[in-house]
Amino acid sequence: ENLQREHQHELVMLQDKLNMDHELILKETESQYTSTLHAHQKEVKQLTDNFNHQLTEHENIRASMEQQLASYKDDLLKEKEKVSLLVIEVSSVKKELAVKHQELVNARREAKDQLRLQEQQFNSTHHVEMESLQSQYKHQSQIFLNEFNKAKELLN
């Protein structure tokens, strides 16, 4: 019975030691786990913060680019309106130019017609005057010749 008590006592002692070793291992494992957990949580927080910072930057860049795009679209629309107005103005100027060109052609034609008419009138008037002068010359020559002949007869 002594032996059995000793054996029982040793068994209790071994079990206590085993329980203490087991508790120590559990505490070490829990400490390592807690430490690793805190390290991973810290890393996850840093990654999350970094991701949120990058996301904010990308959102700001996207917003800025959308503003630029809207501004470019607005500028493009204004330029299209200017081009449309210029096209209308060019068309109007072309029409005015065509009208002025036609007026010039008509004025030239009228000037040529007027010059031709004046030339014809001048030639006609000149012809009449020349015939009149020739007729007067013949008449004067005839008078002069008649007077000359009369004077000649008187002298004879």
Side-chain angles (χ1 to χ4, degrees), residues 57-143:
E57 280 184 19
H58 287 118
E59 285 297 319
N60 290 340
I61 291 170
R62 184 187 59 78
S64 173
M65 291 176 113
E66 284 178 351
Q67 278 183 326
Q68 277 185 323
L69 180 61
S71 175
Y72 290 153
K73 283 181 178 179
D74 191 41
D75 290 347
L76 182 61
L77 184 61
K78 288 177 184 174
E79 291 303 316
K80 282 182 178 179
E81 288 173 1
K82 285 180 185 177
V83 167
S84 292
L85 290 175
L86 287 174
V87 166
I88 291 169
E89 188 176 335
V90 165
S91 176
S92 175
V93 168
K94 281 183 178 180
K95 287 177 184 176
E96 286 178 29
L97 185 61
V99 167
K100 295 291 182 189
H101 181 264
Q102 190 59 45
E103 287 175 1
L104 181 62
V105 167
N106 292 343
R108 281 183 180 168
R109 186 173 331 140
E110 286 177 22
K112 283 181 183 179
D113 290 346
Q114 240 178 359
L115 280 173
R116 195 176 312 114
L117 182 61
Q118 286 177 352
E119 186 179 355
Q120 287 172 354
Q121 287 175 348
F122 175 76
N123 286 338
S124 177
T125 304
H126 179 68
H127 182 67
V128 168
E129 286 178 4
M130 286 299 287
E131 284 181 356
S132 172
L133 285 173
Q134 283 178 349
S135 174
Q136 285 177 5
Y137 176 74
K138 283 182 184 178
H139 180 66
Q140 291 291 336
S141 293
Q142 194 62 40
I143 291 173

Side-chain angles (χ1 to χ4, degrees), residues 20-38 40:
M20 281 178 26
D21 285 347
H22 182 49
E23 201 174 303
L24 184 64
I25 289 172
L26 275 175
K27 282 183 182 179
E28 283 178 10
T29 303
E30 185 181 347
S31 175
Q32 286 175 354
Y33 172 76
T34 302
S35 176
T36 304
L37 180 63
H38 285 305
H40 286 306

